[in-house]
Amino acid sequence: MSSPASVQCPITSLTPTAFKGHTDTVSCMDFFPDNRHLVTGSQDMSIRLWDIHTGLQIGSPWLGHSSWLNELAVSPDGSRVASCAYDQVVQIWSREGSVLAGPWKCSGPVMSVSWSPDGHHLACGLSGGNLEIRSAGDASDNIIMSISTENDCIWSVAYSPDGTRLATSGKNGSLAVWDRSTGEKQLDLQKHVGNVNSVCWSADGTRLISAGDDRSICIWHSNTGSLISVIVGHTEAVRGVVASPDGRIFASASWDGSLRLWSSTTFELIDKPIVHDKALYAVAVSRDSVRVAFGGGSNGSVFVLDVAGDNDIPTENEIPPDARIEGDSAESLSTLHSDSALGEDTESTSIPPSVMDDIDKSIALSRRGNHEAAMQAIDLGFIDANGNADMIRFLMLIKSIIIFSTGRQDEGMARVLDLVDTRPGHDAPMCRTVQAYMYAQQGMGAVNENDYDKAITMFANAMTLGPFDPLFSRLQTISLIFEWKFDSLWRLIHQQKCEALRAAGRLNETTELLYDTMHKFDDGTNTDTEFVEWLTDFKRECVAASVIEGDAALRTENYDKATNWYSAAIALDPLRDDCFLNRSKARAAQGLWDGALEDAQQAIGLDPSSPWGFEMKHAALHALRDYDNAIMAFRTMLSKLDHAGDPKTRELRQKYVSPSDTKRAIQKAVFAELANAPLRLFNTNTGLLCDREAQIRTFETSQEFKELVSSITTLAASQADRIRAGVNKFFQYVMLSHRWEGKEPLLPDIQDKNVYTLDPVHTIIKLQKFCETARGRGYRWAWSDTCCIDKINNVELQKSLISMFLWYRNAALTITYLSDVSGSSTSGGLAESAWRTRGWILQEFLASLVVLFFRKDWTLYGDDHHPTTRKSTLSFARWKRRQASTSMRLQTSSLDRMMPDSSCYGHPLVSRQRKRISHIHC
């Protein structure tokens, strides 16, 4: 194994320049060929372009992905940028940030992308293990090859410099080389333990460099697959590795927060690590090999380091053959994880036998209860360590564990805290893991004493220190000595805290933690069957408890609480259709109709045979005024009831009325309503004159009709009143009372024409203004005696004269137009208007229930609060009563309005009307 001891190779500056802009962890980056511009991607879902000379962000963030960025790759010519993310999307951007191609939807989260050297193709590595080669020149989603790597995930993919091969890395030590033209596997490289997070090619394509969760970096012959060297220097997982284009160095970034630069010839560390206080995720080298960029951490920082040097570092091709370590001569990675290996150190040394004897003796004495002798034995180990600082720290940790195990838990914990906080060292991750194990032990002790609040605090303290790396070699030594199981510690802490929270009655927190635990550990690959069984059983119990709480809240109309409990149950078990259905009811009661509809759809998807999901879907769609789909959902609900397997469910169908029956009831109400309404009416919305058929057709295509059909679902007696009210409201109409002036428009002048588009001259203006005024007051229909009766048709004319009283009586409003009252008139105008003597007929005079007066300019003649209006209105009322009781004469001119042609004066209808009026006068 190559030593990570550093060599002094010149670096221009060990102080990186920070770029601020991202708001979350920086997960990927790449340089442009001009060596001045850097593009970065983040878990904040944005892409940003930087000028590394000025340190400034160029333009606005590039937004297009809906989850955090996994990889960015700049095309060889620098004209395009490829991006991929957990949202299963690949996009191609211009260097200005506009989308050139995509989004290409993939079958799973896309973890990595790599350009072919000619820039024509893009390799995409997916979480499901598929490797897709796409045509990057097409705007369309064009997959030209798909390779199944038979691995759960492709963390990294890289084209070889000549474009003939592809390297992939993934889970469980997966590392392979593929033939680009055939898709066949050429090399299967096995050495890493755990995930292989990153792979790259050397500039000349003769080597592969890989890095993984086992903290190691491996260098391979790319043709033979033989292992050249294994480097261990990082203390936590290595997340990224990249080789410089000039072949002199390669850089690695790790979760331990350090960036390390390595010689490509000796594989030794160049100068000191660049240490960051947060985990690092991404690293890139400029095309001229002068700068290294790196980033990570939750603060979104990007750093650029100048590594220009004096070029004394030999390139890969300048390495003497005898200086290379070939094939099996490299030390096996398994040595890293043996009990005697100290892979965490900068020097590979083992625990001296004398020290190990002191440890064994101390443990044996402590187990026999001889604690004082045990401490004396471990103290001898400090002497046998011969001043080795690293060994002394290890013995201090062992002593802390022995003290903790003998019942002096607070003292043992304090000693570990002292090691971590006041004496920091490279073994801090190991010490934190031991500290977390101690917290967990204290938590379980508190559970045994039923002190659940203390237990929860202890487990919470332990969780702040994780996650943990059980492969840390000295942890394995501690595990063997004390039988502490570090490999399952992270799961154990979550499990025990869940149990403690439930025992403390804190169900809401229990479900939240359980949800987090499921997503961390229940990925289908967990081999701890006992833990998986516990997770399954505990989840079922928590779901049942959440449902009980939700049902109780729903019954007491605490809808917000009910929604929260059902949401907790759904988060744990998204296959419970009853939870979606009840949450839909709770959201509906809160007026959250979009959410109620979404839940109803989920319930239907989980149980399509149930009518109740469709019932809630109907209610939500009705509230959202999507009446067509609401009626369709209600029909489906009735069908499900009709075909239900349970007889009691089928019986419930009897209380519902079908939309067809509702429509028939509405039609009956419409006929009754229109029986006492004018034969023709203006539609004030369209300006068209409508006969009965057109009026009914307008109604049956209206939202009002659909709303009425959708709202009538049961056979309750009150529904008939609701139908009548809905029909009456729709067909409310306004009548016009006015003086005929000159040539008034007749039926032939108006029929099949839009009154609003007629030439606004003379009396046409009056008709237009009348319709506009009626519409402005919320009425759809309007009637004028000049053109709404076919005066040539004797039958219609007779029926109209007979029905006139009812028409005016049933009108929602009569608008009286005072053409001789100016707009400025405020007092006495109504009393002096000629309309009082020549503008009305008996029917409108006696039948109108609601009358509004409008002046010549169609402004309202005052209002009920204006003194002049009250005076004129009271005067008119007194005059009306006087006329009704004493004169009851109908002006001939009023009848003449119905029959403006003088040849019709002898018409029998007019004669009968005059006789009828004469009889009343007498």
Side-chain angles (χ1 to χ4, degrees):
M1 181 186 303
S2 61
S3 170
S6 66
V7 294
Q8 292 301 319
C9 296
I11 295 177
T12 299
S13 172
L14 283 174
T15 304
T17 302
F19 298 76
K20 300 287 187 178
H22 287 293
T23 59
D24 205 339
T25 300
V26 176
S27 52
C28 50
M29 58 183 59
D30 198 8
F31 279 95
F32 281 84
D34 61 8
N35 301 307
R36 176 166 181 168
H37 295 98
L38 176 73
V39 64
T40 58
S42 167
Q43 292 183 9
D44 65 10
M45 298 182 288
S46 75
I47 301 171
R48 298 172 190 256
L49 182 65
W50 307 89
D51 184 329
I52 61 175
H53 288 184
T54 64
L56 299 177
Q57 179 179 314
I58 300 174
S60 301
W62 305 357
L63 302 176
H65 287 284
S66 59
S67 65
W68 70 54
L69 276 294
N70 284 327
E71 186 67 279
L72 291 172
V74 177
S75 64
D77 63 359
S79 64
R80 292 164 292 169
V81 177
S83 64
C84 65
Y86 275 103
D87 58 9
Q88 306 183 22
V89 163
V90 175
Q91 293 198 144
I92 308 294
W93 310 77
S94 71
R95 65 177 296 154
E96 290 78 26
S98 59
V99 177
L100 298 177
W104 297 334
K105 190 70 173 177
C106 300
S107 58
V110 189
M111 312 307 295
S112 183
V113 290
S114 177
W115 289 94
S116 61
D118 60 8
H120 293 164
H121 301 119
L122 193 68
C124 307
L126 276 61
S127 67
N130 282 341
L131 176 61
E132 296 179 352
I133 313 300
R134 296 173 178 265
S135 174
D138 285 349
S140 60
D141 188 357
N142 187 8
I143 301 176
I144 60 177
M145 177 182 284
S146 182
I147 301 171
S148 176
T149 65
E150 299 180 352
N151 189 263
D152 292 339
C153 183
I154 299 177
W155 290 119
S156 180
V157 60
Y159 260 103
S160 63
D162 62 4
T164 62
R165 294 180 290 172
L166 286 160
T168 61
S169 68
K171 288 186 176 181
N172 304 317
S174 171
L175 182 63
V177 177
W178 308 83
D179 186 303
R180 164 61 185 82
S181 60
T182 65
E184 295 180 356
K185 184 186 291 187
Q186 292 183 338
L187 296 174
D188 191 359
L189 309 176
Q190 296 292 328
K191 207 62 176 177
H192 285 283
V193 177
N195 293 337
V196 186
N197 299 315
S198 182
V199 62
C200 67
W201 296 82
S202 63
D204 61 4
T206 61
R207 296 180 185 180
L208 279 173
I209 307 173
S210 58
D213 280 355
D214 56 12
R215 308 183 310 283
S216 72
I217 301 170
C218 294
I219 294 92
W220 313 79
H221 276 299
S222 63
N223 291 326
T224 65
S226 59
L227 183 64
I228 298 174
S229 184
V230 178
I231 302 172
V232 176
H234 289 287
T235 59
E236 295 191 37
V238 185
R239 293 295 300 174
V241 64
V242 60
S244 66
D246 65 4
R248 298 176 185 279
I249 65 170
F250 59 92
S252 59
S254 166
W255 274 358
D256 64 10
S258 72
L259 170 78
R260 298 177 185 239
L261 304 179
W262 309 89
S263 168
S264 296
T265 59
T266 65
F267 311 134
E268 293 181 337
L269 184 65
I270 301 173
D271 220 308
K272 296 181 295 184
I274 310 299
V275 180
H276 184 48
D277 61 350
K278 303 288 185 181
L280 298 182
Y281 282 76
V283 61
V285 178
S286 62
R287 306 290 173 93
D288 59 4
S289 305
V290 170
R291 293 178 177 85
V292 174
F294 59 98
S298 58
N299 60 4
S301 295
V302 179
F303 300 93
V304 176
L305 179 70
D306 192 340
V307 295
D310 64 0
N311 294 325
D312 286 339
I313 308 173
T315 64
E316 297 156 350
N317 294 328
E318 297 169 351
I319 304 173
D322 57 357
R324 303 185 185 187
I325 304 174
E326 301 290 342
D328 296 332
S329 64
E331 189 171 350
S332 170
L333 259 180
S334 62
T335 309
L336 285 171
H337 310 300
S338 68
D339 297 334
S340 61
L342 301 181
E344 303 82 19
D345 297 336
T346 57
E347 297 179 3
S348 182
T349 59
S350 61
I351 302 175
S354 59
V355 174
M356 201 66 234
D357 289 342
D358 295 332
I359 294 173
D360 290 340
K361 184 177 180 180
S362 177
I363 293 172
L365 289 168
S366 69
R367 287 175 178 170
R368 289 198 295 268
N370 195 343
H371 303 315
E372 184 176 350
M375 291 299 99
Q376 292 174 354
I378 198 68
D379 288 343
L380 289 174
F382 290 100
I383 299 173
D384 292 333
N386 294 321
N388 185 319
D390 180 75
M391 192 58 58
I392 290 172
R393 284 180 61 83
F394 182 62
L395 284 168
M396 291 174 69
L397 183 61
I398 292 293
K399 186 173 182 178
S400 301
I401 297 173
I402 293 173
I403 292 172
F404 182 88
S405 301
T406 58
R408 294 148 61 189
Q409 291 188 348
D410 291 341
E411 182 183 348
M413 178 69 78
R415 286 174 175 266
V416 177
L417 286 172
D418 180 67
L419 276 174
V420 173
D421 296 336
T422 65
R423 306 184 188 196
H426 66 273
D427 59 357
M430 177 179 67
C431 295
R432 285 195 296 269
T433 304
V434 170
Q435 183 184 357
Y437 198 95
M438 290 178 173
Y439 276 130
Q441 290 290 322
Q442 289 181 315
M444 289 187 285
V447 167
N448 292 334
E449 297 173 358
N450 297 328
D451 190 349
Y452 299 116
D453 290 335
K454 179 181 177 181
I456 292 166
T457 300
M458 293 299 104
F459 294 132
N461 290 341
M463 291 177 69
T464 62
L465 300 170
F468 316 110
D469 184 358
L471 297 179
F472 208 83
S473 62
R474 284 191 180 168
L475 277 179
Q476 296 182 28
T477 302
I478 294 172
S479 179
L480 289 171
I481 294 172
F482 296 98
E483 298 181 357
W484 284 12
K485 295 181 179 180
F486 295 108
D487 56 343
S488 59
L489 175 59
W490 193 226
R491 294 196 299 271
L492 174 71
I493 293 169
H494 283 75
Q495 178 179 349
Q496 291 298 323
K497 187 178 179 183
C498 283
E499 294 280 10
L501 285 167
R502 184 176 65 170
R506 292 154 65 171
L507 182 58
N508 196 22
E509 294 174 72
T510 306
T511 56
E512 289 179 4
L513 179 59
L514 181 59
Y515 177 79
D516 179 62
T517 303
M518 289 166 51
H519 282 261
K520 283 180 179 175
F521 303 111
D522 191 17
D523 59 357
T525 62
N526 198 323
T527 58
D528 187 344
T529 56
E530 184 177 347
F531 176 77
V532 172
E533 289 176 1
W534 170 84
L535 198 60
T536 302
D537 293 340
F538 194 79
K539 179 180 73 173
R540 183 172 56 250
E541 294 166 6
C542 286
V543 169
S546 297
V547 171
I548 290 172
E549 293 287 345
D551 290 348
L554 191 62
R555 284 194 300 272
T556 57
E557 299 182 0
N558 191 338
Y559 301 118
D560 188 58
K561 185 177 180 181
T563 298
N564 290 337
W565 280 117
Y566 291 130
S567 297
I570 290 168
L572 298 177
D573 186 358
L575 301 180
R576 289 284 299 260
D577 62 292
D578 59 326
C579 292
F580 280 109
L581 189 62
N582 286 334
R583 190 171 72 174
S584 179
K585 294 176 182 178
R587 284 176 164 174
Q590 294 173 286
L592 304 175
W593 293 110
D594 288 319
L597 177 59
E598 182 180 347
D599 283 343
Q601 296 278 38
Q602 291 285 351
I604 291 169
L606 291 170
D607 187 4
S609 64
S610 171
W612 311 125
F614 292 99
E615 181 183 44
M616 287 309 304
K617 181 178 180 180
H618 162 259
L621 288 169
H622 180 86
L624 293 170
R625 301 183 180 182
D626 186 355
Y627 301 123
D628 287 327
N629 286 319
I631 294 169
M632 188 181 303
F634 186 68
R635 288 185 187 277
T636 306
M637 184 200 85
L638 297 181
S639 175
K640 300 296 180 183
L641 286 172
D642 287 333
H643 298 90
D646 178 23
K648 291 185 178 180
T649 302
R650 288 199 302 273
E651 288 178 7
L652 295 174
R653 171 64 178 86
Q654 299 175 9
K655 74 174 186 177
Y656 296 102
V657 60
S658 72
S660 299
D661 292 337
T662 300
K663 287 181 180 179
R664 282 191 287 271
I666 293 173
Q667 289 170 351
K668 184 177 179 181
V670 169
F671 293 144
E673 179 71 23
L674 295 182
N676 296 317
L679 302 176
R680 292 183 184 82
L681 291 167
F682 279 105
N683 185 328
T684 61
N685 291 332
T686 65
L688 298 176
L689 188 62
C690 300
D691 59 13
R692 285 282 172 81
E693 283 189 18
Q695 294 170 42
I696 295 173
R697 192 162 53 247
T698 300
F699 176 55
E700 291 181 345
T701 57
S702 69
Q703 284 290 91
E704 289 87 341
F705 174 78
K706 295 173 183 178
E707 190 275 339
L708 200 55
V709 174
S710 177
S711 65
I712 305 298
T713 58
T714 64
L715 296 171
S718 60
Q719 302 291 28
D721 294 335
R722 185 173 182 180
I723 290 174
R724 282 192 293 272
V727 170
N728 175 265
K729 182 178 180 182
F730 183 88
F731 287 103
Q732 284 184 329
Y733 59 90
V734 178
M735 302 285 278
L736 177 64
S737 176
H738 66 115
R739 289 177 56 209
W740 280 47
E741 301 168 300
K743 180 175 170 47
E744 295 282 351
L746 303 178
L747 177 63
D749 302 320
I750 300 299
Q751 201 160 25
D752 301 325
K753 296 175 184 177
N754 184 339
V755 69
Y756 296 130
T757 62
L758 295 176
D759 189 15
V761 296
H762 307 301
T763 52
I764 292 293
I765 298 178
K766 176 170 61 175
L767 185 59
Q768 291 172 333
K769 290 294 185 179
F770 165 59
C771 290
E772 289 175 0
T773 302
R775 182 180 63 191
R777 292 193 163 268
Y779 298 103
R780 187 189 303 267
W781 307 104
W783 183 89
S784 173
D785 58 353
T786 62
C787 52
C788 291
I789 299 175
D790 185 357
K791 299 179 178 65
I792 307 301
N793 186 326
N794 289 337
V795 174
E796 180 178 333
L797 181 60
Q798 181 181 12
K799 183 176 181 181
S800 298
L801 290 171
I802 293 172
S803 305
M804 194 74 67
F805 183 89
L806 281 177
W807 291 357
Y808 275 99
R809 175 54 56 89
N810 292 332
L813 171 68
T814 296
I815 287 179
T816 298
Y817 178 56
L818 308 175
S819 60
D820 54 355
V821 177
S822 68
S824 59
S825 175
T826 59
S827 176
L830 174 61
E832 298 172 2
S833 173
W835 174 87
R836 291 182 57 182
T837 57
R838 300 179 54 219
W840 51 272
I841 60 173
L842 182 63
Q843 289 92 329
E844 66 188 87
F845 178 74
L846 296 177
S848 297
L849 297 177
V850 181
V851 181
L852 288 179
F853 297 92
F854 286 83
R855 292 177 287 222
K856 182 177 182 179
D857 60 357
W858 283 94
T859 58
L860 185 64
Y861 182 76
D863 55 51
D864 290 341
H865 304 290
H866 195 287
T868 59
T869 303
R870 287 198 300 271
K871 180 179 179 181
S872 296
T873 303
L874 290 171
S875 175
F876 169 70
R878 287 193 296 269
W879 170 78
K880 182 176 178 180
R881 286 195 298 271
R882 185 169 60 253
Q883 293 294 93
S885 60
T886 60
S887 67
M888 299 296 286
R889 292 193 307 272
L890 181 66
Q891 297 95 322
T892 301
S893 60
S894 297
L895 282 176
D896 292 344
R897 286 189 299 161
M898 307 298 297
M899 312 265 316
D901 189 341
S902 60
S903 64
C904 296
Y905 284 153
H907 195 284
L909 282 177
V910 177
S911 300
R912 285 197 296 273
Q913 177 77 338
R914 284 174 173 152
K915 290 177 182 178
R916 190 177 295 115
I917 294 169
S918 175
H919 176 71
I920 293 172
H921 177 65
C922 295

